[in-house]
Amino acid sequence: MCGIIGYIGEKKASPILINGLLCLEYRGYDSAGIATLEKDGITVKKDKGRVKNLYNLEGIDSLEGTVGIAHTRWATHGKPSMENAHPHLDNSSTFAVVHNGIIENYSELRDFLTEKGYHFLSQTDTEVIPNLIHYYFSQDSKKDDDQLLRAVKSTCDDLKGSYAIEVISPLFPDRIIVVRKDSPLVIGTCKKENHIASDIPAVLAFTKNFYLLNDQEYAVVYKNRIRFFDASLVEHTKAINNIEWDAAAAEKDGFEDYMLKEIYEQPNAIRETIGSRFRLGEKCSFDDINLTKEYLSSLDKIYFVACGTAMHAGLIAKNVVEKLCRIPCEVEVASEFRYRDPIIDEKTLCIFISQSGETADTIAALKLAKQKGCKTLTITNVIGSSITREADYTIYTHAGPEIAVASTKAYTSQIVLLIILAMHFAEILNSYPEEKIEKLKADILDIPSKIETILDNVDEIKAFAKKVYTQKDMFFLGRGMDYAVSMEGSLKLKEISYIHSEAYAAGELKHGPIALIENGVTVIGVITDPKLVEKSISNMQEIITRGAYTLVVTNQVLPNVHFNSVINIPETDPLLSSLLSIVPLQCLSYYISKNKGLDVDKPRNLAKSVTVE
Ligand code: M6R
């Protein structure tokens, strides 16, 4: 859950490294540091706190080195402090290392090294790495050009857990050695310089040409070439990926925060996700997966497995797939699924949803499903991310880079893609009337402009946010898919406003939660399903009678009930309404957080990619 950057070229490395870290701060932001190769060896500058603090560190401006590594941290082992910040050095200050991931057997390795006379300055798991490199380097009698690479490899052979590592040393001043396992790492390449990063947007300003490292693949990165090696250090060549993302798309573009920008990007993100998946009058096209009628008819279950917001997209998908394909679906959070011995086999299709494609629990759940004989399909936004290398099939959302920790456009793009996938399955299975699918397609094409209409009218939401931002608790209510949207609305609010909130299926209210309703408590209702309007209204009446302060998001004509605020959204097919009803809830969380003066994009204790269990 940390971010790493590396630079080797002809320019001063330090400003490039710090800028890169600023782009990766969403991955972790409790401490930061850089190490560059200077004339007299390695210089490390690091401290606790945000990346921007690095600018104030003494001597940072006088760094001249053109080779360097950098890190922004989300603490796992050892509290945020200067000592625990990366980069870490070995005891002789010959090797500097940054690391993203977790070394599970670090305490065993520490004992081993301590016995050999090494000592440790931090509480981190990472500090064993530079010292192990030193240990193996000094054990190696073959003093050739690959001695450092071999020492890094021997070190990695000892590590259990996940890592993306960069290593520099004044003994080999012309290179950075990198390797990854279950943590992301990309190398952006351009003329006379190479950039290393945890994700693509961090170096998009320099290049669109990337090498995506595989698990346990090593790279020796020089300023004008890169050598690649497999886990046994057999050298090989590697293809470049050309990434079409726009560098401006990863910047704020005049918006105050990434989250707001990403909320407003939803219409275009959805247009991109639809892409050429379907045209009116034609069948949906998924050339990237090959699931036959025979296979789909043999399924007795589809599982959607994911975490957080991505899991909430799965809840919507369950409803749509069951309706269109009549295949029973289950939705489960990955951290539960993977430890539960789920009943799945070759008759289960497992669909894994992950914006980042790096979520540790989701990847582990996918590996488990494969072991049990299921076909695995992943839906992700990040090209070449770890999950894509594990799954049988990958389909991309094409929502563009999502930087804010709170997911918005990834969620709506995931839902759109899942709905198109459901239509594709229904077309193969002939399980839903053709004309109804055709109508659904037309309605999907209208969704982006309907979201634009909602986003052009946010004054009511802003006003409501101003009235309730000091509240301690809030409740979200809905039935059916409106309940799934309520769960996502509630998660958004918790994440960025730190207000406690709960989402309930409106029909459950009387079975307990209504005891919490008293004068002035804020309750937000989502009412879009025409079949359930009356039921939902009755539930809202019950809480109004008990003094609740209410907001309703709806596209229905509601009976004459006094709500404190009503947000009217455009009508659409009930299967699609989550794509519209979530938008005011995203905005509500955003404006509540702004009213509280909080850091919307980097909420406390959270990170964008949860690459640890
Ligand atoms: O990258 P992923 O989609 O796998 O991430 C899953 C969750 O960590 C993520 O959705 C998280 O809940 C977000 N912060 C929600 O806004």
Side-chain angles (χ1 to χ4, degrees), residues 137 145-154 172 175 177-178 218-220 227 229 233:
F137 190 86
D145 195 49
D146 285 333
Q147 192 182 351
L148 177 55
L149 176 63
R150 285 195 300 278
V152 175
K153 189 246 182 226
S154 303
F172 296 89
R175 70 196 68 181
I177 296 191
V178 301
Y218 294 81
V220 184
R227 295 162 67 208
F229 299 84
L233 291 195

Side-chain angles (χ1 to χ4, degrees), residues 306-311 353-359 362 405-408 414 488 491-492 495 606-610:
C307 304
T309 289
M311 190 276 289
I353 312 164
S354 174
Q355 186 284 133
S356 62
E358 302 293 346
T359 301
T362 310
V405 165
S407 184
T408 52
Q414 284 159 355
E488 174 59 8
L491 177 66
K492 282 292 84 82
E495 278 188 292
L606 294 175
K608 183 70 179 163
S609 299
V610 186

Side-chain angles (χ1 to χ4, degrees), residues 482-528:
D482 290 337
Y483 172 41
V485 171
S486 299
M487 289 166 83
E488 174 59 8
S490 169
L491 177 66
K492 282 292 84 82
L493 185 74
K494 286 193 246 287
E495 278 188 292
I496 60 166
S497 75
Y498 315 150
I499 294 175
H500 166 251
S501 81
E502 304 276 352
Y504 286 108
E508 268 295 290
L509 212 59
K510 288 201 269 299
H511 300 282
I514 202 164
L516 296 168
I517 305 298
E518 57 184 359
N519 220 10
V521 168
T522 303
V523 180
I524 293 149
V526 183
I527 306 179
T528 67

